[in-house]
Amino acid sequence: MREEILELLENDSDLSSKEIATMLDIPANKVKMEINKLEEENVIVKYHTLIDWDKTDKEIVTAFIDVKVTPERDLGFDAVAKRIYKFSEVKSVYLMSGGYDLSVKIEGRTMKEVALFVAEKLATIEPIESTTTHFMLKTYKKDGIIFKGDQKAAERLVVSP
């Protein structure tokens, strides 16, 4: 029951306990108690709204930064990750496998603002060896949801020789 409730809420955090109870064929008070317990245990960390910012007037520049780090003795990557995620520009930090150690998602108002953050704040942190910045240009799909783009572009015929 627990995982089923979590999956339903992950797909639609706006569902009520009553709606979930109906979908799972269990009493609503049992669902409500389980959700409260999940919130208390910090399994449910926060409820989230997915917004297509491209359809608003708000200008947001998003960048993903690959970061190579020299891990600190006895602390590994945790200490540097903590220093990074404290910056207000930072939206997410992930420990990664592969060619780099951390993946950092940041947001700013302009590309220059993001570039200055990387050059003046991020890259100057002592254990950081190098960074590679990737600017996000367009969102096609996020959190399992396909964003509808320009309908005219989607309707164009494919030209073949």
Side-chain angles (χ1 to χ4, degrees), residues 99-160:
Y100 55 95
D101 304 305
L102 298 173
S103 180
V104 179
K105 177 183 173 186
I106 68 166
E107 290 180 353
R109 290 179 308 225
T110 65
M111 289 178 112
K112 183 176 183 176
E113 184 179 284
V114 170
L116 286 174
F117 169 81
V118 173
E120 296 174 358
K121 293 181 181 177
L122 187 63
T124 60
I125 296 173
E126 177 112 10
I128 293 181
E129 297 174 20
S130 66
T131 63
T132 303
T133 303
H134 308 275
F135 287 98
M136 186 180 73
L137 303 177
K138 184 176 182 178
T139 301
Y140 294 101
K141 185 176 183 178
K142 183 176 180 181
D143 297 336
I145 304 299
I146 296 171
F147 282 37
K148 302 284 190 264
D150 180 11
Q151 295 302 318
K152 289 181 182 179
E155 293 172 4
R156 279 190 234 147
L157 295 174
V158 176
V159 178
S160 59

Side-chain angles (χ1 to χ4, degrees), residues 64-84:
F64 299 92
I65 299 117
D66 301 338
V67 182
K68 283 187 94 44
V69 177
T70 302
E72 295 184 31
R73 171 168 252 146
D74 299 324
L75 298 173
F77 297 103
D78 294 346
V80 71
K82 184 176 182 179
R83 288 175 66 187
I84 293 169

Side-chain angles (χ1 to χ4, degrees), residues 6 9-10 12-13 38-39 42-49:
L6 289 170
L9 287 173
E10 185 177 41
D12 185 357
S13 64
L38 290 163
E39 290 171 347
N42 213 24
V43 174
I44 296 176
V45 179
K46 183 178 181 184
Y47 295 92
H48 183 73
T49 300

